[in-house]
């Protein structure tokens, strides 16, 4: 297929805020992490404002909007409160995710097909406000087709099942998940959707996904923040960037 251009890396800084909130103070500062990530070559910053504010706060979002030079991708649930916040700040992108209070992290993709009408009405004002609307979905054809029908411009494919299978050495499952992700990236692209991917990606799992020519952006957080403890945030990000570029080159795609 025609080359689609450089694969972007969005760095998710939620877990810097998780660490800060563990002590209830101001340190470590997620905005400082965002500035460092920018300096290290991140193409965007991703932050999830959860309803329970367990990591990123409203003030963090305000600070990011005021100071970031790269685009902000605001992850949020499809609630009235979050819609109002997004409309007030108008971030470059809004990624709609499912959210359950009891979960440790975003566990699955959004059930778009089940809530098509509501979601179509929910995202319309966000689009009109100039936000690129992304829907976080499992690699599942009915969900992708529904995301297209409701007028989303982007889908983000949930890579969690692939990464879990890799971590647990369930290699046949891992390869099946990867095949499904590849097929659904192609399906979404054929529908005219921009394709992103993320969740659970590490140095060990990023390359096969980075090699899909349709994928334009990867959003990676938890692993990078963990790795930063050992090698520093800039170095951790630069290594991820290097692996992504290498996978792209090997797949015959341009890196610039
Ligand atoms: N993309 C989406 C939509 C997410 O919800 C998350 C987790 O907040 C990520 C990407 C990043 O996942 P991880 O922190 O596991 O790299």
């Amino acid at each position: 297929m025609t080359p689609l251009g450089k694969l972007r890396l969005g760095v998710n800084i939620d877990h810097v805020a998780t660490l800060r909130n563990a002590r209830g103070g101001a340190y470590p500062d997620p905005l400082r992490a965002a500035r460092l990530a920018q300096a290290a070559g991140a193409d965007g910053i991703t932050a999830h404002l959860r309803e329970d504010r367990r990591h990123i706060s409203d003030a963090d979002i305000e600070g990011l909007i005021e100071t970031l030079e790269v685009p902000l991708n605001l992850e949020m649930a499809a609630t009235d409160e979050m819609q109002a916040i997004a409309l007030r700040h108008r971030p470059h992108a809004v990624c709609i995710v499912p959210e359950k209070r009891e979960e440790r992290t975003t566990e699955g993709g959004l059930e778009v097909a089940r809530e098509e009408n509501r979601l179509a009405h929910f995202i319309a004002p966000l689009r009109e406000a100039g936000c690129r609307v992304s829907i976080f979905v499992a690699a599942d054809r009915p969900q992708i087709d529904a995301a297209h029908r409701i007028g989303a411009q982007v889908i983000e494919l949930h890579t969690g099942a692939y990464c879990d299978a890799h971590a647990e050495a369930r290699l046949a499952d891992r390869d099946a998940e990867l095949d499904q992700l590849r097929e659904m990236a192609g399906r979404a692209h054929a529908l005219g959707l921009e394709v992103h991917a993320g969740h659970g990606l590490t140095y060990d799992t990023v390359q096969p996904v980075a090699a899909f020519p349709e994928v334009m952006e990867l959003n990676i957080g938890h692993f990078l923040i963990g790795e930063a403890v050992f090698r520093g945030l800039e170095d951790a990000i630069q290594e991820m960037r290097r692996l992504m570029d290498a996978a792209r080159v090997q797949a015959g795609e341009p890196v610039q």
Side-chain angles (χ1 to χ4, degrees):
M1 61 178 278
T2 328
L4 296 173
K6 188 190 175 195
L7 176 61
R8 296 192 301 268
L9 171 60
V11 173
N12 181 316
I13 55 164
D14 292 351
H15 295 296
V16 180
T18 304
L19 207 53
R20 174 194 61 193
N21 295 1
R23 282 291 174 94
Y27 189 85
D29 178 9
L31 267 61
R32 183 175 170 197
R35 287 195 297 275
L36 263 178
Q38 232 173 220
D43 302 290
I45 297 296
T46 293
H48 184 176
L49 185 66
R50 292 187 70 103
E51 289 180 89
D52 61 9
R53 308 300 197 270
R54 71 171 69 153
H55 37 55
I56 293 292
S57 68
D58 297 74
D60 293 332
I61 297 295
E62 269 166 43
L64 290 168
I65 290 282
E66 278 167 22
T67 59
L68 273 188
E69 283 157 28
V70 294
L72 174 66
N73 173 34
L74 172 64
E75 286 181 16
M76 58 180 223
T79 65
D80 292 345
E81 182 202 14
M82 291 299 151
Q83 189 192 52
I85 291 170
L87 290 174
R88 194 162 69 243
H89 292 305
R90 298 175 183 227
H92 166 79
V94 171
C95 181
I96 314 293
V97 300
E99 205 174 289
K100 290 191 227 108
R101 276 184 187 260
E102 64 278 15
E103 71 193 353
R104 267 188 290 181
T105 181
T106 316
E107 276 167 5
L110 198 68
E111 285 289 333
V112 200
R114 207 189 289 158
E115 286 197 282
E116 215 172 304
N117 211 9
R118 184 179 86 81
L119 288 169
H121 285 98
F122 183 83
I123 69 171
L126 297 169
R127 281 197 58 160
E128 278 158 29
C131 302
R132 283 183 73 69
V133 176
S134 169
I135 311 280
F136 191 43
V137 285
D140 181 33
R141 187 172 171 151
Q143 305 302 338
I144 290 165
D145 290 1
H148 172 62
R149 283 195 300 272
I150 66 171
Q153 294 121 308
V154 181
I155 54 142
E156 180 161 331
L157 290 171
H158 197 312
T159 50
Y162 154 67
C163 293
D164 287 349
H166 177 86
E168 291 157 20
R170 290 183 282 109
L171 302 188
D173 289 348
R174 178 198 63 188
D175 293 347
E177 293 290 350
L178 201 56
D179 286 346
Q180 183 68 12
L181 285 165
R182 186 183 295 107
E183 193 183 330
M184 289 304 115
R187 167 79 189 162
H189 177 70
L191 289 170
L193 290 158
E194 184 173 311
V195 183
H196 299 177
H199 208 284
L201 291 169
T202 66
Y203 293 152
D204 290 338
T205 50
V206 73
Q207 290 196 300
V209 181
F212 299 164
E214 299 88 356
V215 173
M216 298 291 293
E217 179 174 309
L218 298 178
N219 285 300
I220 309 180
H222 185 260
F223 175 81
L224 285 176
I225 303 306
E227 193 65 10
V229 171
F230 304 108
R231 62 197 295 170
L233 187 56
E234 286 194 71
D235 192 39
I237 291 170
Q238 282 163 358
E239 175 64 3
M240 190 61 84
R241 177 81 258 171
R242 189 188 69 71
L243 290 167
M244 287 163 57
D245 287 347
R248 219 59 174 177
V249 167
Q250 202 162 19
E253 294 292 321
V255 293
Q256 288 305 324

